[in-house]
Amino acid sequence: MGKRSIATMTAALVAGSLLTGVPSAGAQGADRGADNASPPGSARLPGVDLDTVTIPQLQARMAKGSLTSEALTRTYLRRIEKVDPKIHAVLRTSPTALREAGASDARHRNGKTLGPLDGIPVLLKDNVNTRDMPTTGGSLALAGSPPDTDAVLVTRLRRAGAVILGKTNLSEWANFRSAKPTSGWSAVGGQTNNPYVLDRNPCGSSSGSAAALAASLAQVAVGTETDGSIVCPAGMNGVVGHKPSLGLVSQSGVVPISAEQDTAGPMARNVTDTALTLSVLSEGDGGKGLPDAGDHGSGLRGKRIGLWRLPSLGTDVDALMTRTAAKLRKAGAEVVEVTPPYQARLAELEFPALLSEFHRDIDAYLATRKGPRNLAELIEFNRTHPEEQSCFAGQELFEQALAAPPTTDPKYRAMRAELKDLSQRSLDETMATHHLDAIAAPTNPPAWTTDCARGDNDVIPSSTPAAVAGYPSLSVPAGSVGELPVGLLLMAGNHEDAQLLSLGASVEQRLKAWRAPRYLPTTG
């Protein structure tokens, strides 16, 4: 396959979006910026259905002068004010969002736009550093002064003209604090709810980013993942989430778990917007060297997809996978059943390795912030602040990480080397043996009931091979079990992000599984 820019893939998706569209289908403790207080106007935008509109369609309207970024941004701010009190997905809105939108409108009028995200409102998970807003990781320990500088990915978004709309709630410390956490809960933001059924869980840790998109509170969002934290919330909230290849998006300025697995990535209501956001996030970090995405118009005909069924996720999910495979076959794809090897060993080794890496990486991050300066001080902070214990008291993972071997230990190094080898072989061997274009699996089970006393009810193995290998994965909506969305997780080889997104767009068009939560106010 030729070495061409990710722009090849995004250009094809943009053209398809303009021709066909996409498949039909107030924040708790919020800190509202002064410029954004009570924006005038409606939570609807005349002639624009926020649930289904794509970035190319918005840019086409802006180019014609029939839409402004300021109007779009005000509409999203009003919708956050109206809808988010039910969901608790948005922690705070940016005090400069409307000024950024006005600057974008001036560029549009003068024909000097900065790219596909110019004027597009973006929400950021609150473990991504922003110099003008607090970045807390969900913890009160970091709720004071903002970081001194933006994360590199935020700098890229600003340079591309994106409107930073605000910050989203998350599972505190990205779900790496307690042995029995509740996804979507943080001491800063409380509990994020699943927009489809409000007493159900949104999965984590990018809970607020996914729930906000499902409720149409922004056009796109940024999440982060160590293992499952982009794709599981995307699947459980019925949106699209892409975990990029490791290193494609800079992690500088992002609250860490493990440099060996962490990555930020784009989330949206459709693959086109996801791909366009990746093209900005990955600029200068290898995005322009990605392999050719191919011709999006070729669709699924002749593609070979390996289906990893994972019946442990339940009979309803398994039945949905059977229907999904039938739709893909009808579109011309060859679907064969596969079981990637080495999964038990990966499950055995991953957590101990992450403990050592977390201790190293969180100490380095905390040294850049005001507050606890290292993991030991963070543990003591949690012991002395009752608000940190209001949903669950445990911080067993912190304590285990503090006692874990250092990353200079030979046993740790052997463990991480084995993890990398087995995870990459798990996918590479499966792809080669069956001559596959991608591996597919259910992203998630139906959302469980949120319960602080019980904690999460999740054992979701599909994200692990790509997460540990550093390979890309992409969750697209596959359908629902009752009211609860289930995603289809697509995985491919190292740095095959462009091909995966192109294939994902074809799968999305065939499945047409996106639908807005029926109990929330409509946006059309």
Side-chain angles (χ1 to χ4, degrees), residues 99-393:
R99 289 203 296 271
E100 292 170 11
S104 175
D105 289 334
R107 290 191 296 271
H108 276 86
R109 286 192 299 270
N110 294 326
K112 296 181 179 180
T113 56
L114 300 174
L117 292 193
D118 201 338
I120 301 301
V122 180
L123 283 170
L124 304 173
K125 185 176 178 179
D126 198 35
N127 61 352
V128 177
N129 281 2
T130 46
R131 66 180 186 269
D132 56 352
M133 290 181 285
T135 299
T136 69
S139 171
L140 297 171
L142 297 180
S145 301
D148 293 334
T149 59
D150 286 333
V152 169
L153 72 86
V154 176
T155 299
R156 290 177 182 161
L157 288 167
R158 293 191 197 277
R159 289 176 178 171
V163 175
I164 306 301
L165 193 63
K167 306 293 285 288
T168 59
N169 197 22
L170 68 160
S171 309
E172 185 170 319
W173 295 111
N175 256 355
F176 208 79
R177 188 192 106 180
S178 171
K180 290 182 62 178
T182 297
S183 287
W185 180 87
S186 75
V188 171
Q191 180 64 53
T192 296
N193 300 320
N194 189 309
Y196 288 85
V197 180
L198 294 176
D199 69 349
R200 298 301 180 106
N201 198 267
C203 203
S205 61
S206 302
S207 314
S209 295
L213 290 170
S216 298
L217 304 185
Q219 190 65 27
V220 295
V222 173
T224 67
E225 175 162 331
T226 306
D227 185 348
S229 284
I230 290 174
V231 296
C232 182
M236 207 164 279
N237 291 274
V239 299
V240 176
H242 177 54
K243 184 204 81 70
S245 294
L246 188 67
L248 190 60
V249 177
S250 172
Q251 283 302 108
S252 178
V254 179
V255 181
I257 292 177
S258 163
E260 282 73 13
Q261 292 182 209
D262 289 352
T263 181
M267 306 174 77
R269 285 181 291 279
N270 58 78
V271 175
T272 296
D273 289 2
T274 304
L276 289 170
T277 305
L278 178 66
S279 73
V280 171
L281 296 178
S282 63
E283 181 184 356
D285 242 3
K288 293 184 178 179
L290 286 171
D292 181 4
D295 179 9
H296 175 54
S298 64
L300 292 169
R301 188 161 303 281
K303 302 295 185 184
R304 283 183 60 85
I305 298 173
L307 178 60
W308 183 18
R309 298 191 72 103
L310 291 172
S312 62
L313 296 185
T315 56
D316 289 335
V317 173
D318 196 51
L320 177 59
M321 291 299 104
T322 298
R323 296 193 297 273
T324 298
K327 291 178 182 178
L328 299 180
R329 289 186 179 111
K330 188 174 181 180
E334 299 178 63
V335 181
V336 297
E337 295 198 9
V338 301
T339 303
Y342 317 122
Q343 300 310 305
R345 184 62 172 161
L346 292 177
E348 179 183 349
L349 294 176
E350 183 187 17
F351 177 65
L354 292 177
L355 289 173
S356 295
E357 292 153 5
F358 178 72
H359 189 181
R360 174 199 65 198
D361 293 344
I362 199 63
D363 275 4
Y365 178 82
L366 290 174
T368 71
R369 298 290 307 274
K370 296 179 177 66
R373 303 297 289 175
N374 54 47
L375 180 56
E377 291 186 13
L378 181 56
I379 290 170
E380 184 59 27
F381 179 94
N382 290 338
R383 287 174 179 158
T384 57
H385 287 75
E387 304 97 322
E388 286 290 345
Q389 305 168 33
S390 60
C391 180
F392 50 86

